[in-house]
Amino acid sequence: MSQLKEAGFEYYQLKNEIQYEGIEEDLKKLTNAFDHLPTDEYAPHLNRYRRYARAIIMPGTHEIRWLPETKIDGKNYYEYFQGSYNPEYMGEYRRFPALTKESMQNKLLEEIIRFDFRETFWMREDALMPFHAGIHFVKLLVENEGDVAVSSPNNLHQDGEPFTFAHLIRRNNIKGAMNAISTPKHRGKMPEEMPDSEITTSFYLEEPLESYSVYDPLVTHYVGEVEKGNQAGIGERSAILIDFQPTVIADPDVVRSMQGETSKMIYV
């Protein structure tokens, strides 16, 4: 049994797991994509930058199909929703700028998505239809002494998707960004508020493609604030986050399109 299935989290070094000719060039292109992330407009004061995309993965073949974007004022976006799982945006849809087409077509990104998906496990009835993958490019950037960059939510939390994978792309000239894993009963707490015995594990991601995963029902997880390091120049922590959930036929009582609000509904 995998550690992810037994304990709810697992560590990986994907450079040992994904190997093909041209991987270094593809990693370079993914890294360069983080140089051009727009500011997270929902928290411009928290030094966070991001893009997002949605895809489906076909069961059996693991074929990846990118879902269409929403176009507003000539720019492409994807919607993101966590329900009650993010207390900072409770019940709120957020709209993030879409990944570039170049990033979507990057072979390494597709290999990472497939690797992650092969690590997941599902009830048989959930595996009858395609699976949804959410792909986040997130950068925490600090330019000056005293600047702090913060992830969301800034506490031990669950995401509301069954599985989340985090893959470090670049860590440079920063302090902080400690990762911590605990149990669901500590959701909403800060690690420093708890005795060490209640923290299942803590660690830092330091090398490109160093990664970890969580199975949401069994754990809470956290990444700490980022501060500028001691060297000259900016500090940065960039990572790809990938979450998975099933696209099962939902309970009609919880489907928003079953609520009869036809004035708000659209043709697709």
Side-chain angles (χ1 to χ4, degrees):
M1 181 180 292
S2 71
Q3 182 176 323
L4 179 58
K5 198 169 188 178
E6 184 174 359
F9 67 94
E10 190 157 354
Y11 166 88
Y12 313 93
Q13 175 45 273
L14 289 197
K15 282 190 174 180
N16 299 330
E17 304 290 346
I18 300 175
Q19 298 179 355
Y20 62 87
E21 185 175 351
I23 186 174
E24 292 298 334
E25 182 61 25
D26 288 342
L27 176 57
K28 182 179 179 180
K29 290 177 180 178
L30 281 183
T31 304
N32 290 342
F34 283 84
D35 292 336
H36 308 288
L37 296 189
T39 301
D40 184 343
E41 63 184 54
Y42 295 91
H45 59 295
L46 295 181
N47 300 313
R48 191 166 65 229
Y49 302 77
R50 67 193 307 161
R51 288 188 182 273
Y52 177 62
R54 300 165 67 114
I56 58 171
I57 300 179
M58 306 304 292
T61 65
H62 299 173
E63 177 188 359
I64 298 168
R65 299 182 184 177
W66 296 97
L67 293 171
E69 306 98 326
T70 297
K71 188 175 289 289
I72 301 174
D73 296 331
K75 297 180 180 180
N76 292 329
Y77 296 87
Y78 283 96
E79 305 276 352
Y80 182 57
F81 182 68
Q82 286 183 285
S84 64
Y85 279 83
N86 189 331
E88 296 173 7
Y89 306 99
M90 187 76 70
E92 180 181 349
Y93 275 87
R94 286 179 283 168
R95 179 183 296 131
F96 297 131
L99 294 187
T100 65
K101 296 299 182 184
E102 182 181 6
S103 292
M104 292 183 190
Q105 294 165 3
N106 186 287
K107 180 179 179 180
L108 177 56
L109 179 59
E110 288 200 350
E111 291 296 325
I112 292 172
I113 295 170
R114 289 193 182 96
F115 174 87
D116 291 355
F117 184 68
R118 288 194 294 268
E119 291 292 297
T120 65
F121 38 87
W122 309 88
M123 297 297 291
R124 186 176 301 275
E125 57 269 27
D126 290 339
L128 297 175
M129 295 177 66
F131 292 85
H132 179 275
I135 298 88
H136 310 248
F137 283 22
V138 181
K139 176 171 68 177
L140 302 178
L141 181 74
V142 283
E143 297 188 40
N144 306 301
E145 195 73 29
D147 286 351
V148 176
V150 181
S151 290
S152 176
N154 186 29
N155 52 39
L156 283 161
H157 63 276
Q158 294 165 294
D159 290 324
E161 298 98 3
F163 297 94
T164 299
F165 293 74
H167 305 284
L168 186 72
I169 297 299
R170 182 163 56 194
R171 179 188 173 106
N172 181 54
N173 192 29
I174 64 166
K175 296 179 288 187
M178 179 193 74
N179 296 100
I181 306 291
S182 187
T183 56
K185 70 179 181 180
H186 293 302
R187 177 178 164 186
K189 298 179 182 178
M190 296 294 286
E192 58 266 29
E193 300 171 354
M194 300 159 49
D196 291 345
S197 60
E198 293 297 308
I199 301 296
T200 306
T201 187
S202 62
F203 54 92
Y204 293 87
L205 300 181
E206 298 182 331
E207 299 296 327
L209 299 185
E210 200 172 359
S211 311
Y212 75 96
S213 62
V214 294
Y215 174 52
D216 209 57
L218 294 187
V219 298
T220 51
H221 61 282
Y222 165 82
V223 60
E225 297 177 348
V226 165
E227 298 180 7
K228 188 175 176 298
N230 298 322
Q231 303 172 19
I234 63 173
E236 173 192 351
R237 182 191 188 270
S238 291
I240 296 174
L241 309 178
I242 302 177
D243 57 66
F244 297 95
Q245 56 186 311
T247 55
V248 297
I249 298 174
D251 180 345
D253 290 334
V254 299
V255 176
R256 294 181 70 194
S257 294
M258 290 287 286
Q259 295 175 5
E261 299 174 356
T262 58
S263 63
K264 299 180 180 180
M265 299 171 73
I266 63 172
Y267 293 98
V268 296

